[in-house]
C-alpha cells in the first residue's frame, strides 16, 4: 500500500472573505513527484505554502505523516522535514557555502560532517568551484541552484518547488530537472512541483493535478492526465486554449 | 588661526603629558556614553527590529514617537530628566541628580530613538521574502530575525554610530543633569564649555581635538564591523 505523506480534507483558505483555496480531498504519496499545474492565480502557490506550514487553513484539515494540528503550526521537528525552493530565491549576503550551510547551522549541526555535506551538495548542483564566491554575484540560474542546494543539504522528506525554473535558460532548467529526478529516485524524497509549464510536468511528474480558481479539477497519473484528461477544462488547459 | 595651531600643539602635548585630570575626563565621557549606548542598543535594536518586521496595532504611533525622538532637542530631554530627578520630582528619592546616573539616563533617552529608528529602516530594507524562505528552511522565528538583522548589519552599525555620535558630543543635557562637577560629572564636552568661558581657548581646543580623535577612532572600529560588503 502506498504511504500517504499529506492528506487534505475539505481544506479552505480565505483572504478577506475571498476564497482562494477550496480542496475537498487531496492525497500526496510518499516518494512521488506530483506536479500541480494551472493558470496564475489558481491557488498553486497558496497550496504550496500550506504544505510547508507557512500558512494554516481557514477551515478543514491538513494532515502530514498521519498527524494534524488543527490549524496550529506543527512542532519544529515536523516543520523541518519540509522545505520549499521558491521562484525567486532570496539568498543571504554571505558566501555561497554559508548560504548552503544555513539550514544545517540552524539545526545545530556544525563541524566537519556539515562542511562535507555542504561541499557534496554544491557538487551535486555543479557549483563546487563557487563555494567561496559571494552569493550576491551569482546569475539567476546559479542563484536558483544555490537555493536548491540549501534545501537539499538538510535532506528533507518533502521538497516543494514553486516554479523553480521560471525565467531560467534551458541549460539551467535541464540541470535542475535532472537533480530533482535524481533526488527523488535516490533519496525517495517526495516532490511537489508547482508549474505553469505543462511540458515540465510531463517530463518530471508521476502524477499531475490541475488547479483552477482554487479548486482541484483533476488529478491523475501524468500519462493519463495528458493523453486522456477526464475534464474538458483540463483538456483545454493542456492544449493551451485556456487564457491565463 | 594662531589659536587653532596652538590648540593643536597643546592637544598633542596634553595627550602625552599623562595628565591625570584629563584622562579622568576622557574615561568618564567614554564610561557614561558607553553605558548609555549599551542601554540604547539593548532597547533600540529589538524595538527597531520589531517595528521593521511586524505589523501591529499602534505601530505607526510608535514610529511617529520615534521619529520625534530622533529630532528632539537634547537640552529639552535634559530639562525633562532634571525635573524628574530633582528633589521634588517623581524620582527625586533616587538622589541621582548631578551624578553619573543622571547623565546616563539622559543620554540613553537621547540616543535610543536614533538606534531604534535607523535599525528599523535597515531591517525594512531587507527583502521581505527572505524571512519566509528562511522559515521554510526550518528557521524558528527568532533565528529568522537574527539572520535578518545580520543582513541589515551595515544599517544596524550606522544606527549604533548615530546613537553614539549623538551622546558623546552632547553638552546641553549633560550640563543640566550632571552639573559639570570636577572629578565627578565633568565630561569632555562640558569641560570644553567651561574652559572656553574661562578664556582658556588652547585647552578648550585641545579637549575638542581629543574628542574628535576619540570619536574618529571609535567610528573607524565600527566601520570595520560592517565588513567588506560594500566592495563588490
Amino acid at each position: 500500500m502506498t504511504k500517504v505523506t499529506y492528506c487534505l480534507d475539505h481544506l479552505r483558505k480565505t483572504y478577506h472573505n475571498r476564497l482562494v483555496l477550496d480542496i475537498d480531498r487531496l492525497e500526496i504519496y510518499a516518494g512521488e513527484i506530483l506536479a500541480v499545474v494551472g493558470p496564475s492565480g489558481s491557488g498553486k502557490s497558496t497550496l504550496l505554502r500550506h504544505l510547508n506550514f507557512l500558512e494554516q487553513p481557514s477551515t478543514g484539515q491538513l494532515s502530514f505523516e498521519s498527524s494534524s494540528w488543527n490549524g496550529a503550526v506543527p512542532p519544529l521537528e515536523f516543520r523541518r522535514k519540509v522545505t520549499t525552493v521558491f521562484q525567486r530565491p532570496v539568498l543571504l549576503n554571505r558566501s555561497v557555502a554559508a548560504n548552503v550551510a544555513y539550514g544545517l547551522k540552524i539545526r545545530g549541526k556544525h563541524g566537519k560532517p556539515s562542511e562535507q555535506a555542504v561541499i557534496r551538495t554544491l557538487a551535486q548542483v555543479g557549483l563546487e568551484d563557487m563555494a567561496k564566491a559571494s552569493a550576491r554575484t551569482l546569475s539567476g540560474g546559479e542563484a536558483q541552484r544555490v537555493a536548491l542546494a540549501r534545501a537539499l543539504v538538510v535532506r528533507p522528506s518533502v521538497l516543494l518547488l514553486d516554479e523553480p525554473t521560471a525565467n531560467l535558460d534551458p541549460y539551467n532548467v535541464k540541470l535542475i530537472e535532472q537533480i530533482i529526478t535524481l533526488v527523488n529516485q535516490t533519496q525517495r524524497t517526495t516532490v511537489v512541483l508547482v508549474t505553469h509549464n505543462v511540458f515540465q510536468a510531463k517530463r518530471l511528474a508521476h502524477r499531475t493535478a490541475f488547479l483552477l480558481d482554487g479548486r482541484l479539477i483533476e488529478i491523475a497519473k501524468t500519462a493519463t492526465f495528458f493523453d486522456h484528461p477526464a475534464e474538458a477544462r483540463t483538456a483545454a488547459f493542456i492544449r493551451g486554449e485556456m487564457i491565463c | 588661526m594662531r589659536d587653532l595651531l596652538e590648540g593643536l600643539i597643546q592637544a598633542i602635548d596634553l595627550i602625552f603629558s599623562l595628565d591625570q585630570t584629563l584622562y579622568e575626563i576622557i574615561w568618564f565621557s567614554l564610561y557614561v556614553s558607553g553605558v548609555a549606548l549599551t542601554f540604547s542598543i539593548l532597547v533600540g535594536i529589538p524595538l527597531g527590529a520589531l517595528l521593521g518586521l511586524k505589523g501591529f496595532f499602534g505601530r505607526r504611533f510608535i514610529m511617529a514617537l520615534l521619529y520625534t525622538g530622533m529630532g528632539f532637542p537634547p537640552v529639552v530631554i535634559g530639562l525633562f530628566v532634571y525635573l524628574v530627578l530633582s528633589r521634588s520630582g517623581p524620582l527625586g528619592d533616587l538622589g541621582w541628580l548631578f551624578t553619573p546616573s543622571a547623565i546616563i539616563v539622559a543620554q540613553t533617552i537621547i540616543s535610543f530613538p536614533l538606534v531604534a529608528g535607523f535599525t528599523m529602516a535597515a531591517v525594512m530594507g531587507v527583502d521581505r521574502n527572505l524571512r519566509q524562505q528562511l522559515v521554510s528552511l526550518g528557521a524558528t522565528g527568532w533565528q529568522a530575525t537574527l539572520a535578518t538583522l545580520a543582513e541589515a548589519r551595515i544599517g544596524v552599525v550606522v544606527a549604533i554610530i548615530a546613537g553614539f555620535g549623538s551622546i558623546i558630543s552632547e553638552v546641553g543635557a549633560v550640563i543640566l543633569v550632571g552639573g559639570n562637577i570636577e572629578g565627578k560629572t565633568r565630561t569632555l564636552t562640558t569641560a570644553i564649555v567651561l574652559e572656553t568661558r574661562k578664556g582658556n581657548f588652547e585647552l578648550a581646543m585641545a579637549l575638542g581635538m581629543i574628542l574628535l580623535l576619540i570619536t574618529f577612532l571609535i567610528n573607524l572600529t565600527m566601520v570595520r564591523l560592517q565588513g567588506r560588503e560594500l566592495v563588490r
Side-chain angles (χ1 to χ4, degrees), chain B residues 66-81:
Chain B
L66 215 55
Y67 288 148
T68 311
M70 287 169 87
F72 216 65
V75 69
V76 179
I77 290 170
L79 174 65
F80 168 76
V81 173

Side-chain angles (χ1 to χ4, degrees), chain A residues 49 52 54 76 79-80 82-84 86 88-94 102 106-107 134 136 150-151, chain B residues 127 129-130 132-141 143-144 146-148 150-151 153-154 229 232:
Chain A
R49 284 200 297 275
N52 202 170
L54 297 170
L76 201 57
R79 237 175 22 81
R80 285 186 168 171
V82 184
T83 186
T84 305
F86 295 85
R88 198 178 60 81
V90 183
L91 301 178
L92 298 167
N93 193 4
R94 307 179 194 174
Y102 183 77
I106 55 174
R107 284 165 174 77
S134 164
R136 293 281 164 99
R150 73 175 175 181
Chain B
D127 193 318
N129 293 313
L130 176 71
Q132 176 172 274
Q133 300 198 2
L134 296 180
V135 170
S136 160
L137 286 170
T140 60
Q143 286 170 332
L146 280 184
T148 307
E151 283 300 288
R153 61 187 171 274
I154 290 178
E229 302 303 331
R232 269 196 280 117

Side-chain angles (χ1 to χ4, degrees), chain B residues 186 190-201 203-204 207:
Chain B
R186 181 159 298 166
T190 57
I192 292 170
V193 171
L194 184 73
E195 297 307 331
T196 309
R197 288 217 181 114
K198 278 161 57 182
N200 293 334
F201 297 120
L203 183 56
L207 291 166

